[in-house]
Amino acid sequence: MHLFKYRSGELFAEDVPVRGLAEKYGTPLFIYSYKTLLRHFRAYDEAFNDYPHIICFAVKANSNTAILRVFSKQGGGADIVSAGELHAALKAGVPSKKIVYAGVGKTEEEIRFALRSKVLMFNVESGSELRQIDRVAGKMRAKAPVALRINPDIDPETHPYITTGLKKHKFGIPIGDALEYYRLASRLKNVNVIGIHKHIGSQITKVTPFVDALKRVLILIDELSMQGVAITYLDIGGGLGISYKDEEPPVPKDLAKNLIPLLEGRDLTLIMEPGRSIVGNAGILVTKVLYLKKGVEKEFVIVDAGMNDLIRPSLYDAYHRILPVVNRKRDAVFCDVVGPICESGDFLARDRELRRARQGEYLAVMSAGAYGFSMSSNYNSRTRAAEVMVKGKEHFLIRRRESYDDLIRNERIPAFLK
Ligand code: LLP
């Protein structure tokens, strides 16, 4: 569900016409619907109401502090993978006791920052990371709360680039080795084992992989308890998919219905790390048609947003629906919607049937709220887009467009070249 709908042929973000926003703030422009963000967050919170839980929004999906603030005000936490994400989460007011820290390559400096900030737990991805956290915590005379990220070897049947829970992946500790690593963790003086973590992939459109992975992890929790290792936090990761085209993914309620019965009677706090399913369909990317071009084999619609703004089509061949901001009756044509970047891989859609576009009109690239801005770059020295949040009839700039000076701000010309 989202709140980007047509009214008399004009696309609205909640109660604000998208065209007006594009004119006011310029394009490319990310627009987020506050009510959709709220609704999606609450859908999780309410679905798991009957079980102790923390919803730790996956900051990597969208790290804008205004967006993080929406969830922290609802009692949400954050799932982070870097010191930069920790900084953003703290600035947004996320309580450190609701922050979980994953990622296979935490540096010593990052570990120190997280220990100083007193995050809820480190989701540890290897034996050597575990020893490093123990060492760093020892130097700081701290005790590091840890969960081990277990790789349960479950196929979530999604895009290979966003599958993470198979034996062949770099993530987590193989489930077969988990007991050994937990034993190691309990021997280490400066870590405190409190949890278990898994995350099997992203854009998962079925409940079964979640159920299967949870069952495997619960068996492990029982084995651990027999060995005297008590787990308090069970972090089941994120990964619920959204509808980009015609997918019909389960909703949080479906997850809860299938997962809570497995957890009943256990004294655990459940942690979830949803990203895409909360922000994905709460955001769009608005772009302007610059030129129309007839190639030898196909037509191109050249727009002012490129792969630097939204890399998902280029990187994963991902499908994003593209809608005209003002929907006029025109014939449909097959075309490629491409950006201004000097790469053949710079496209937002390929061989797509669209109403014939006009120069100067605005198009909305849908489902761009997750892994849109957060994966954007300055390639081709393009300034990154502005971001706006709409709430009812109101709109708020939540990130100004970068300036040309922003692009070179951190650069220095050495004296010998002056
Ligand atoms: N927790 C962990 C440990 C993760 O690695 C991820 C995503 C999440 C939670 C959130 O997953 P979500 O609920 O958003 O599926 N850039 C790709 C997606 C990469 C996902 C990486 N990890 C894309 O644009 O499709």
Side-chain angles (χ1 to χ4, degrees):
M1 260 309 286
H2 61 78
L3 291 166
F4 298 97
K5 298 269 180 283
Y6 283 107
R7 292 186 194 166
S8 322
E10 273 239 24
L11 188 65
F12 273 64
E14 299 196 11
D15 299 323
V16 182
V18 167
R19 183 171 46 169
L21 294 173
E23 281 163 2
K24 178 170 171 55
Y25 297 104
T27 53
L29 177 69
F30 284 92
I31 302 175
Y32 305 100
S33 150
Y34 170 75
K35 283 187 197 155
T36 310
L37 293 167
L38 206 58
R39 181 186 287 185
H40 289 174
F41 181 88
R42 287 191 178 149
Y44 271 97
D45 213 18
E46 282 159 18
F48 287 87
N49 212 6
D50 293 340
Y51 202 85
H53 68 273
I54 312 173
I55 294 164
C56 293
F57 173 68
V59 175
K60 62 178 82 63
N62 192 315
S63 59
N64 188 296
T65 45
I67 289 184
L68 302 181
R69 182 92 184 135
V70 173
F71 310 134
S72 73
K73 285 193 82 157
Q74 294 295 309
D79 152 49
I80 57 156
V81 288
S82 69
E85 289 189 354
L86 175 55
H87 178 71
L90 293 172
K91 286 278 176 206
V94 181
S96 60
K97 277 291 155 234
K98 290 185 181 175
I99 297 180
V100 290
Y101 184 6
V104 295
K106 304 173 185 85
T107 65
E108 171 159 357
E109 193 187 323
E110 290 181 307
I111 294 169
R112 282 176 177 279
F113 181 23
L115 281 170
R116 265 199 320 273
S117 310
K118 300 201 178 339
V119 297
L120 175 61
M121 62 187 191
F122 290 85
N123 289 334
V124 179
E125 309 236 9
S126 65
S128 44
E129 183 195 328
L130 187 59
R131 288 194 190 86
Q132 169 79 334
I133 291 177
D134 177 61
R135 204 176 57 77
V136 177
K139 280 203 278 185
M140 292 174 67
R141 301 195 184 290
K143 199 133 181 155
V146 300
L148 299 192
R149 175 170 179 176
I150 302 306
N151 183 334
D153 195 26
I154 292 279
D155 187 357
E157 297 170 45
T158 179
H159 191 289
Y161 279 17
I162 50 178
T163 300
T164 48
L166 286 175
K167 275 201 284 253
K168 62 179 177 192
H169 296 123
K170 70 175 177 183
F171 299 100
I173 290 164
I175 192 151
D177 300 340
L179 283 177
E180 181 192 327
Y181 283 94
Y182 269 102
R183 254 179 250 132
L184 165 67
S186 19
R187 279 200 307 272
L188 297 175
K189 277 208 207 71
N190 310 305
V191 305
N192 193 9
V193 181
I194 59 168
I196 194 160
H197 175 232
K198 64 118 181 113
H199 169 81
I200 52 174
S202 199
Q203 185 55 15
I204 302 170
T205 52
K206 293 180 190 144
V207 171
T208 344
F210 289 100
V211 172
D212 294 348
L214 180 60
K215 284 184 178 159
R216 289 199 182 175
V217 169
L218 289 175
I219 293 173
L220 181 59
I221 291 182
D222 291 337
E223 284 169 348
L224 286 169
S225 125
M226 281 189 292
Q227 304 209 1
V229 182
I231 296 296
T232 311
Y233 294 98
L234 165 57
D235 183 343
I236 60 168
L240 203 58
I242 63 171
S243 177
Y244 284 101
K245 192 178 182 185
D246 46 19
E247 304 90 333
E248 289 180 2
V251 293
K253 232 195 311 181
D254 304 319
L255 261 195
K257 206 168 59 197
N258 284 277
L259 301 188
I260 292 179
L262 301 174
L263 300 172
E264 245 139 24
R266 289 172 182 271
D267 195 10
L268 294 167
T269 295
L270 183 66
I271 295 176
M272 278 159 286
E273 305 173 341
R276 187 192 318 264
S277 49
I278 293 188
V279 288
N281 277 326
I284 62 173
L285 170 63
V286 184
T287 182
K288 190 173 174 169
V289 176
L290 298 176
Y291 301 105
L292 300 168
K293 177 167 170 175
K294 253 201 169 88
V296 182
E297 286 181 2
K298 51 172 124 186
E299 296 193 22
F300 295 99
V301 178
I302 302 169
V303 297
D304 68 356
M307 65 191 283
N308 74 301
D309 300 295
L310 181 70
I311 203 175
R312 303 194 69 257
S314 309
L315 194 56
Y316 315 114
D317 219 0
Y319 180 98
H320 284 259
R321 203 179 287 283
I322 297 184
L323 300 175
V325 166
V326 179
N327 194 9
R328 297 204 179 81
K329 284 220 165 60
R330 287 189 215 129
D331 21 308
V333 281
F334 278 91
C335 57
D336 281 12
V337 180
V338 301
I341 287 186
C342 301
E343 299 260 355
S344 304
D346 177 28
F347 59 87
L348 297 173
R350 274 200 297 201
D351 298 316
R352 184 75 61 85
E353 193 176 9
L354 288 181
R355 303 243 163 98
R356 192 178 286 283
R358 289 230 177 115
Q359 202 168 5
E361 84 165 309
Y362 296 115
L363 300 177
V365 184
M366 306 304 285
S367 315
Y371 308 107
F373 190 92
S374 66
M375 292 180 83
S376 68
S377 77
N378 293 117
Y379 186 39
N380 276 200
S381 289
R382 284 166 51 81
T383 54
R384 279 180 302 168
E387 295 179 286
V388 165
M389 187 185 286
V390 168
K391 176 173 181 278
K393 288 192 168 67
E394 298 174 292
H395 45 92
F396 306 89
L397 183 66
I398 58 169
R399 190 184 216 277
R400 69 161 172 80
R401 186 175 306 285
E402 280 175 333
S403 67
Y404 301 139
D405 267 341
D406 287 336
L407 293 174
I408 54 168
R409 191 169 304 283
N410 298 323
E411 298 174 10
R412 303 284 181 272
I413 294 177
F416 80 92
L417 288 176
K418 281 186 182 157

